[in-house]
């Protein structure tokens, strides 16, 4: 089983055991000048841990996303949480361009830009920086959300570009490791400090400096697990940096065999949020809600073709009420006045209770309010219930 192999490789916390191929960067005792890339709450927690460790850094500069306009007609300005934290800590903040093509030629802030050679039609392929990257210059990413261009990574010495990744790599390489940990019902999770690599060499495939394993509470949601992993990741990062300064830290390559058999964690899409009651068990649906509802609300369709977002989900185990007799097959929904929720039978026969629903182009309402509205629509309301499907009927598309 995959987990047994991973647990043999990773202790609850330690620097990894040495293998035949390890890497130790050039030793220096000078605290690091750090450029920290991030954007969200995970990044903030890691930065807070790093910023408090005054013995490992001399300067920290922050790189994050630019402000963006959201809401109706762009009336709301969205600001990176990391930017707000950095400003409160009096750290310099630099923003990247909005577009990915512009980011590929974006220049690092000083003093790191001295060593960055950008692609140029007139530059030879053998162009090199004027001097070797300084060993006390360090790049750190934590939930940054962008692939770093190769010229940017080459501005740092080997072993001086690190990523804080919230999984026990090589398990869950990709953009959504926390979500997949929850979706799959894993009882163990963890965080890794790894080397950054150019994209062509693999995503999250760099050597591992340290890992910490932890129990995953079965009631965890994305925010609670994210915060726990971020705190552990920040502390683990500081330990790695102290080991680098002491000359004791080394990285270990990821096991190619284990990497090939480990599941990935690609970006979450709207397709992932579609609920199919005919195929999914109640526990699967609840886990999915805990994993992705913060970014993609769980969604189904009514017979009239309207999308319906589901929230406030919980198990319903009572068999005392007549409402359950209406739930003849998976996907049929009916209102239960005793629990004040819409009940739906799932593929395993278990009953899911839904507390709040948001119909297409309407605001979110309680189960009772939605039920009172849908009962008046003949196309949706049949034999005392409503069939909820993962796609609109073909005649409504």
């Amino acid at each position: 089983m995959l987990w047994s192999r991973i647990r043999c490789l990773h202790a609850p916390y330690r620097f990894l055991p040495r293998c035949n191929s390890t890497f130790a960067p050039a030793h220096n005792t000078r605290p690091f000048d750090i450029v920290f890339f991030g954007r969200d709450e995970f990044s903030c927690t890691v930065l807070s841990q790093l910023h408090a460790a005054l013995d490992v850094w001399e300067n920290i500069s922050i790189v994050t996303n630019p402000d963006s306009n959201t809401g109706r007609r762009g009336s709301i300005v969205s600001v990176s949480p990391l930017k707000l934290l950095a400003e409160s800590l009096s750290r310099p903040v630099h923003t990247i361009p909005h577009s990915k093509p512009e980011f590929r030629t974006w220049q690092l802030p000083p003093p790191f830009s001295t060593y960055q050679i950008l692609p140029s039609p007139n530059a030879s392929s053998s162009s090199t920086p004027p001097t070797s990257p300084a060993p006390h210059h360090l790049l750190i990413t934590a939930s940054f959300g962008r692939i770093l261009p190769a010229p940017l990574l080459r501005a740092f010495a080997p072993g001086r570009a690190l990523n804080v990744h919230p999984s026990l790599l090589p398990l869950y390489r990709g953009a959504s490791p926390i979500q997949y940990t929850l979706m799959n019902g894993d009882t163990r999770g963890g965080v890794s400090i790894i080397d950054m690599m150019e994209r062509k060499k693999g995503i999250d495939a760099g050597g591992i400096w340290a890992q910490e394993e932890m129990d995953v509470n079965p009631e965890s949601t994305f925010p609670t697990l994210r915060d726990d992993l971020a705190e552990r990741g920040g502390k683990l990062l500081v330990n790695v940096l102290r080991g680098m300064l002491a000359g004791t830290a080394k990285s270990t390559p990821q096991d190619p065999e284990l990497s090939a058999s480990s599941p990935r964690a690609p970006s979450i899409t709207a397709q992932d949020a579609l609920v199919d009651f005919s195929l999914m068990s109640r526990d699967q649906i609840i886990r999915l809600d805990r994993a992705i509802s913060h970014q993609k609300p769980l969604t189904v369709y009514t017979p009239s073709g309207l999308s319906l977002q589901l929230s406030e989900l919980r198990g319903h185990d009572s068999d005392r009420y007549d409402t359950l007799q209406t739930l003849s097959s998976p996907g049929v929904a009916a209102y239960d006045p005793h629990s004040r929720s819409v009940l739906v039978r799932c593929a395993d026969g278990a009953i899911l209770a839904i507390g709040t629903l948001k119909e297409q182009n309407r605001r979110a309402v309680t189960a009772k309010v939605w039920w009172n509205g849908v009962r008046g629509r003949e196309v949706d309301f049949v034999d005392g219930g409503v069939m909820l499907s993962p796609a609109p009927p073909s005649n409504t598309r």
Side-chain angles (χ1 to χ4, degrees), residues 2 28 32 39 61 80 180 211 230 241 268-269 290 319 335:
L2 180 62
N28 72 283
F32 293 107
R39 54 182 174 138
S61 298
S80 159
Y180 278 85
Q211 296 187 310
L241 299 188
I268 300 298
T269 68
R290 290 172 176 162
D319 57 1
Y335 180 70

Side-chain angles (χ1 to χ4, degrees), residues 32-100:
F32 293 107
D33 286 339
I34 297 173
V35 57
F36 186 98
F37 287 71
R39 54 182 174 138
D40 58 13
E41 291 82 358
F42 184 92
S43 311
C44 289
T45 302
V46 174
L47 177 61
S48 295
Q49 297 283 347
L50 175 63
H51 189 268
L54 300 178
D55 57 310
V56 303
W57 61 271
E58 191 168 299
N59 294 291
I60 302 179
S61 298
I62 307 302
V63 176
T64 190
N65 296 339
D67 298 347
S68 60
N69 294 323
T70 61
R72 291 186 178 180
R73 301 191 180 100
S75 59
I76 301 174
V77 178
S78 176
V79 181
S80 159
L82 187 66
K83 177 182 176 180
L84 298 175
L85 174 62
E87 290 175 344
S88 73
L89 298 173
S90 300
R91 294 291 97 206
V93 177
H94 308 270
T95 56
I96 63 171
H98 283 281
S99 73
K100 292 181 180 179

Side-chain angles (χ1 to χ4, degrees), residues 22 29 70 96 232:
T22 59
T29 57
T70 61
I96 63 171
R232 293 168 184 264

Side-chain angles (χ1 to χ4, degrees), residues 267-282:
S267 297
I268 300 298
T269 68
Q271 191 71 24
D272 295 315
L274 296 177
V275 176
D276 190 340
F277 290 103
S278 68
L279 298 176
M280 301 171 69
S281 70
R282 181 178 69 186

Side-chain angles (χ1 to χ4, degrees), residues 344-367:
V344 188
R345 189 174 297 279
C346 303
D348 59 345
I351 305 299
L352 179 72
I354 306 167
T356 302
L357 304 94
K358 183 184 182 305
E359 205 163 68
Q360 184 175 326
N361 299 325
R362 298 191 178 185
R363 64 182 178 87
V365 296
T366 64

